[in-house]
């Protein structure tokens, strides 16, 4: 497989075409943004961590029966993935109240929810990814009823898989965001799963081990990302 020209550059990744029309190469950057791009920075080493962590978790998820876009890790930062048409929904699963959920609903951060819950945002930077529901998604033809059912089933199943994996690493999975794509008409998991897209709190201390350290200027951002990667069993250059 040959890497060809760049197709797209996003906030955290570059995407390249290959000589196979069904395969893209994603290249993870150290750039970090928050609040819809208003806050910008660099988290040194993040690209490699997010790449390797996503690949590890996607392989576990695939092994449990949820199809993903993962094909092959090429190097620290780059991975070959199936080329999908992204469903323009940010799918958020929550186990514990935090972030925008806490603000919007007046539920104190850290409140355990009676059951895992799901929400959809319309993936649109200009509009600031507004919250929608599955009826909106159907009415706006962002996804069909059957696709939405598959997405919900997969999202809750991924939550159960991730909760177990993170707990083994001494981390509580508070919430996370995932994205899906269509590959030859089938819904598969795409994008990434990393400390950029998950809230992870240390089981013992409750310390935040994710992008909230960057969003909220808590310091120790790089160390938190390295810790998460190491605890999941990824070999990292020691620091
Ligand atoms: N999230 C994300 N990208 C976004 C918005 C949210 O990866 O554009 C993740 C975020 O890291 C958290 C979860 O989705 O793990 C829920 O985020 P929330 O809606 O609470 O938004 P925030 O408080 O981050 O604005």
């Amino acid at each position: 497989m040959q890497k060809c020209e760049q197709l797209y550059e996003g906030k955290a990744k570059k995407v390249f075409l290959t000589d196979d029309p069904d395969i893209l190469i994603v290249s993870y950057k150290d750039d970090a943004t928050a609040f819809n791009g208003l806050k910008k920075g660099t988290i040194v080493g993040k690209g490699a961590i997010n790449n390797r962590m996503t690949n590890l978790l996607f392989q576990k998820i695939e092994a449990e029966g949820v199809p993903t876009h993962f094909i092959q890790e090429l190097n620290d930062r780059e991975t070959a993935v199936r080329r999908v048409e992204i469903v323009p929904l940010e799918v958020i699963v929550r186990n514990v109240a935090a972030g925008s959920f806490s603000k919007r609903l007046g539920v104190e951060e850290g409140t355990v929810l009676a059951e895992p819950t799901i929400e959809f945002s319309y993936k649109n930077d200009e509009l600031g990814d507004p919250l929608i529901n599955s009826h909106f998604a159907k009415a706006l033809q962002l996804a069909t009823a059957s696709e939405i059912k598959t997405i919900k089933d997969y999202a809750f199943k991924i939550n159960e898989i991730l909760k177990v994996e993170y707990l083994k690493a001494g981390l509580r999975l508070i919430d996370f965001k995932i994205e899906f794509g269509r590959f030859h008409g089938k819904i598969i998991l795409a994008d990434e799963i990393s400390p950029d897209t998950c809230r992870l709190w240390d089981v013992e201390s409750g310390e935040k081990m994710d992008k909230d350290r960057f969003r909220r200027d808590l310091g120790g951002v790089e160390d938190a990302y390295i810790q998460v990667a190491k605890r999941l069993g990824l070999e990292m250059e020691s620091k």
Side-chain angles (χ1 to χ4, degrees):
M1 187 206 357
Q2 192 65 45
K3 184 172 168 184
C4 302
E5 75 261 26
Q6 186 173 305
L7 174 66
Y8 166 83
E9 177 163 3
K11 285 178 277 196
K13 295 179 216 78
K14 293 178 184 173
V15 180
F16 296 88
L17 293 167
T18 68
D19 53 2
D20 183 331
D22 269 343
I23 301 179
L24 297 175
I25 293 174
V26 290
S27 178
Y28 287 71
K29 306 191 287 183
D30 285 353
D31 299 356
T33 62
F35 313 120
N36 201 18
L38 241 53
K39 184 181 171 88
K40 288 193 177 72
T42 302
I43 302 174
V44 177
K46 173 172 89 81
I49 290 174
N50 287 5
N51 179 43
R52 295 178 57 205
M53 185 168 153
T54 295
N55 294 341
L56 177 82
L57 295 173
F58 273 39
Q59 287 173 87
K60 298 206 186 273
I61 288 166
E62 185 101 43
E64 299 282 339
V66 176
T68 77
H69 76 168
F70 175 77
I71 298 175
Q72 191 194 352
E73 189 167 292
L74 301 174
N75 56 53
D76 256 16
R77 273 172 199 278
E78 294 186 318
T79 296
V81 300
R82 296 188 174 85
R83 182 177 190 168
V84 297
E85 178 197 352
I86 289 284
V87 177
L89 294 174
E90 297 207 335
V91 180
I92 294 172
V93 178
R94 301 178 186 273
N95 298 302
V96 177
S100 67
F101 182 92
S102 289
K103 273 207 199 92
R104 195 182 323 115
L105 301 173
V107 181
E108 198 188 337
E109 196 159 87
T111 307
V112 177
L113 303 174
E115 57 181 70
T117 193
I118 193 166
E119 70 188 51
F120 297 117
S121 293
Y122 174 33
K123 217 174 124 61
N124 183 317
D125 278 342
E126 268 169 49
L127 299 175
D129 299 337
L131 180 69
I132 59 168
N133 61 36
S134 43
H135 294 271
F136 282 30
K138 282 185 276 178
L140 295 171
Q141 294 187 299
L142 307 179
T144 66
S146 125
E147 285 175 336
I148 289 167
K149 181 175 184 318
T150 303
I151 286 172
K152 284 183 182 169
D153 290 347
Y154 283 168
F156 283 122
K157 184 159 181 190
I158 291 166
N159 183 43
E160 295 309 314
I161 299 164
L162 292 180
K163 271 201 285 192
V164 171
E165 288 307 317
Y166 283 131
L167 207 56
K168 286 194 262 178
L171 297 164
R172 280 177 82 198
L173 177 59
I174 306 304
D175 58 32
F176 62 98
K177 184 267 305 179
I178 45 181
E179 296 180 22
F180 292 90
R182 299 181 185 97
F183 183 71
H184 296 293
K186 230 179 60 172
I187 291 290
I188 69 174
L189 180 66
D191 196 43
E192 68 175 287
I193 299 180
S194 71
D196 274 6
T197 63
C198 299
R199 283 198 170 93
L200 303 167
W201 295 358
D202 182 83
V203 166
E204 298 287 321
S205 65
E207 209 185 335
K208 294 179 177 27
M209 306 282 286
D210 55 61
K211 196 169 151 188
D212 273 348
R213 302 206 72 83
F214 170 76
R215 291 190 191 97
R216 303 180 188 186
D217 295 319
L218 300 176
V221 187
E222 276 91 359
D223 282 343
Y225 277 65
I226 291 170
Q227 261 298 316
V228 169
K230 278 190 176 170
R231 288 200 204 175
L232 285 169
L234 290 170
E235 269 177 45
M236 304 298 302
E237 275 169 44
S238 64
K239 204 196 144 189

